[in-house]
Amino acid sequence: MPSQGPCLHVATLLTGLLECLGFAGVLFGWASLVFVFKTEHYFEDLCERSAGLMSNATGHDDCKAQDERFSLIFTVASFMNNFMTFPTGYIFDRFKTTVARLIAIFLYTSGTLIIAFISAASASLLFLAMPMLTVGGALFLITNLQIGNLFGKHRSTIITLYNGAFDSSSAVFLIMKLLYEQGISLRASFIFLSLCSAWHVGRTFLLMPRGHIPYPLPPSYSYGLCSGDGAGEKKEQGSESRKLDLPSKELPSPKEGTPGAAGPEEQRSFRGCVTSRRFAWHLVWLSVIQLWHYLFIGTLNSLLTKLAGGDRALVSSYTNAFAITQFFGVLCAPWNGLLMDRLRQKYQKEARKTGSSASAVALSSAVPSLILTSLLCLGFALCASVPVLPLQYATFILQVISRSFLYGGNAAFLTLAFPAEHFGKLFGLVMTLSAIVSLLQFPIFTLIKGPLQNNPFYVNVILVLVTLLTFVHPFLVNRECRQEATAATTT
């Protein structure tokens, strides 16, 4: 390997981790930002003044229209986070790393500048700024995931770590909230984020490839500043770059010894995969769990305000606690991948003895992960449904672990359950469809605030019952694996 190798690779790894941790997934710290926006009187004109002279910052029920507006902004931004997965993945595939990152920098910087210079009078621009921030951050994540290809056998660990860093970046808005409480304006914080675009640009040209990082990595591969005119990159790109997995929050690859499930004959075509029962139930599994997370994050400020009886200091304290737990997502995310890797190795050893199908064995390793993710979501949903403020600490912990497991498990399952050549299309489709389901969070919030008079009990009961449907998915997958194993031993 050229002399640039280890040092440049480590620098790329660490700066990529910092980029994901500090910028990529800030949207999910929305509750901290809403607290500041309310203090700055954003959308305060929507509050009903007849209820009294109390400040809007106390969050009384007469400001339900304000809460609905903040919920709608989060709904739109979180929808774009998933819905744009396929088009941004196409941009990365088609136009390579440099172009994708420059688009990300433009979107992200534009979003931060808009937020920096708006005021309560122009707060509606948040509908534009937050989706720009979200899509730009997603592109940062997408272009950084390929860095795992530089580290061979540690590839999955690094990808999962980046996924966790994306989740943990929600703590950025907590830092902004704490700085705001110390007298540093929100404008100053977002201008700082805008100025960081210079760092993103420098990293794009000095520490990232122009094209894709191939996998497996050729010995003569070079990139960034040390690659000169890029000849080292171009020589190696070709077909190898096409083997790069479509960007996802976790990218387990068939090349890691994880065979894509060939499955029945009808599942070999993309149409067969999409119309299969396996794909349909996986979509239900992802959509229901994701809806819970988005609904909880988007309405957290309103929930805490209600449970705290409008005590602004108490709301601030619990908002800080939630944001701090989100930071630990970077530590939670790798455990799901380690669980699946260990189980896959165990089942593969057993398969050699019994002669079971390799695809069935690989798919079996996903079943415990699916069940565990559903259990975590159920526990999180039950805690969130109990209107006891101290219990929300447990809710925060279960929520961050569940969310850390969800997206990595989603990508891993698609890789194991369907042919490798359809992974990118299936991943983009499942994320897009789940994004459409996530739009339900706003009408649900409106229902609670309106006809149900801020009492979410009946909605929570229905959603908990719907959550039980997610256990059908691992049950059916496990039954299919057992049937395949039985068929293999009898032939």
Side-chain angles (χ1 to χ4, degrees):
M1 182 170 290
S3 58
Q4 69 154 176
C7 291
L8 181 66
H9 292 181
V10 171
T12 302
L13 169 67
L14 294 179
T15 55
L17 185 62
L18 179 61
E19 191 169 74
C20 289
L21 193 59
F23 303 92
V26 293
L27 170 70
F28 299 102
W30 178 245
S32 299
L33 201 58
V34 167
F35 186 88
V36 178
F37 285 153
K38 284 188 172 184
T39 306
E40 289 285 306
H41 312 297
Y42 282 39
F43 301 117
E44 188 177 279
D45 56 304
L46 299 175
C47 296
E48 298 176 11
R49 298 295 182 181
S50 59
L53 300 176
M54 295 291 292
S55 167
N56 175 46
T58 61
H60 284 273
D61 291 345
D62 56 338
C63 287
K64 67 179 183 181
Q66 182 196 38
D67 289 331
E68 288 175 357
R69 186 62 55 89
F70 283 124
S71 177
L72 182 58
I73 292 170
F74 180 80
T75 299
V76 172
S78 58
F79 169 77
M80 294 297 289
N81 181 64
N82 281 11
F83 188 79
M84 292 300 290
T85 298
F86 190 76
T88 52
Y90 174 80
I91 289 171
F92 177 59
D93 242 10
R94 177 69 177 83
F95 299 104
K96 311 290 177 57
T97 301
T98 299
V99 173
R101 285 184 60 82
L102 291 176
I103 293 173
I105 293 167
F106 170 77
L107 291 172
Y108 201 92
T109 306
S110 299
T112 54
L113 285 174
I114 291 172
I115 299 173
F117 290 101
I118 63 174
S119 63
S122 55
S124 293
L125 286 173
L126 287 172
F127 282 102
L128 173 64
M130 291 309 298
M132 293 178 76
L133 208 62
T134 301
V135 177
L139 264 172
F140 281 145
L141 175 68
I142 285 169
T143 56
N144 278 315
L145 287 174
Q146 60 181 325
I147 292 171
N149 294 346
L150 297 173
F151 295 89
K153 63 181 181 179
H154 303 296
R155 178 172 179 257
S156 291
T157 303
I158 291 168
I159 289 170
T160 311
L161 186 66
Y162 276 14
N163 177 41
F166 178 89
D167 292 338
S168 296
S169 65
S170 58
V172 169
F173 284 164
L174 167 64
I175 296 172
M176 288 187 176
K177 173 180 175 291
L178 296 176
L179 291 174
Y180 178 84
E181 292 171 345
Q182 296 302 314
I184 297 176
S185 69
L186 200 62
R187 174 172 295 180
S189 295
F190 274 99
I191 287 176
F192 174 77
L193 284 185
S194 302
L195 293 176
C196 287
S197 61
W199 180 74
H200 295 309
V201 171
R203 186 170 178 273
T204 297
F205 290 104
L206 300 180
L207 294 175
M208 294 295 285
R210 297 180 187 177
H212 293 145
I213 299 175
Y215 182 81
L217 195 69
S220 58
Y221 180 74
S222 62
Y223 66 95
L225 180 65
C226 300
S227 63
D229 61 358
E233 257 189 77
K234 293 175 182 176
K235 182 172 65 176
E236 301 295 346
Q237 287 295 320
S239 60
E240 286 294 339
S241 67
R242 296 298 174 191
K243 295 177 184 177
L244 190 69
D245 296 315
L246 202 83
S248 68
K249 287 185 134 185
E250 179 181 293
L251 296 173
S253 167
K255 285 186 166 292
E256 295 173 309
T258 309
E265 190 64 34
E266 67 270 12
Q267 289 188 357
R268 292 187 181 276
S269 69
F270 176 67
R271 181 186 179 89
C273 292
V274 172
T275 57
S276 67
R277 183 178 65 180
R278 184 183 294 179
F279 181 82
W281 277 106
H282 184 67
L283 177 62
V284 171
W285 177 85
L286 174 66
S287 299
V288 171
I289 297 176
Q290 181 176 259
L291 178 61
W292 257 115
H293 287 289
Y294 281 0
L295 183 64
F296 181 74
I297 295 172
T299 62
L300 180 61
N301 182 268
S302 176
L303 171 68
L304 293 179
T305 299
K306 178 177 180 291
L307 296 181
D311 185 334
R312 188 166 178 268
L314 203 53
V315 173
S316 177
S317 175
Y318 274 83
T319 301
N320 293 349
F322 172 72
I324 290 169
T325 57
Q326 296 301 296
F327 181 77
F328 289 96
V330 69
L331 303 178
C332 301
W335 291 103
N336 193 23
L338 288 172
L339 171 67
M340 295 182 70
D341 284 343
R342 289 293 180 88
L343 288 173
R344 186 173 68 244
Q345 293 170 8
K346 175 186 175 182
Y347 293 157
Q348 283 174 344
K349 290 180 182 178
E350 295 176 357
R352 293 190 189 101
K353 299 176 182 178
T354 61
S356 301
S357 164
S359 61
V361 168
L363 192 56
S364 296
S365 66
V367 173
S369 172
L370 295 173
I371 295 174
L372 182 57
T373 305
S374 294
L375 281 172
L376 287 167
C377 180
L378 182 61
F380 148 62
L382 289 172
C383 289
S385 301
V386 178
V388 176
L389 190 58
L391 186 61
Q392 300 316 304
Y393 287 121
T395 306
F396 298 161
I397 294 171
L398 289 171
Q399 189 270 339
V400 71
I401 299 174
S402 173
R403 185 162 171 263
S404 296
F405 275 46
L406 176 63
Y407 293 107
N410 167 51
F413 177 80
L414 292 175
T415 301
L416 297 170
F418 301 102
E421 62 268 23
H422 299 315
F423 172 76
K425 297 186 290 292
L426 290 171
F427 182 86
L429 181 62
V430 78
M431 293 301 286
T432 299
L433 294 175
S434 67
I436 295 172
V437 175
S438 73
L439 290 174
L440 289 173
Q441 63 184 291
F442 181 69
I444 290 173
F445 182 75
T446 304
L447 176 66
I448 293 172
K449 283 288 185 178
L452 297 181
Q453 299 180 346
N454 212 26
N455 181 6
F457 175 77
Y458 296 106
V459 170
N460 287 338
V461 168
I462 293 172
L463 288 176
V464 167
L465 292 176
V466 172
T467 303
L468 296 176
L469 288 175
T470 63
F471 289 94
V472 175
H473 180 41
F475 170 77
L476 292 176
V477 172
N478 184 61
R479 190 174 70 174
E480 286 182 29
C481 292
R482 288 182 177 276
Q483 289 174 348
E484 287 189 36
T486 302
T489 54
T490 55
T491 54

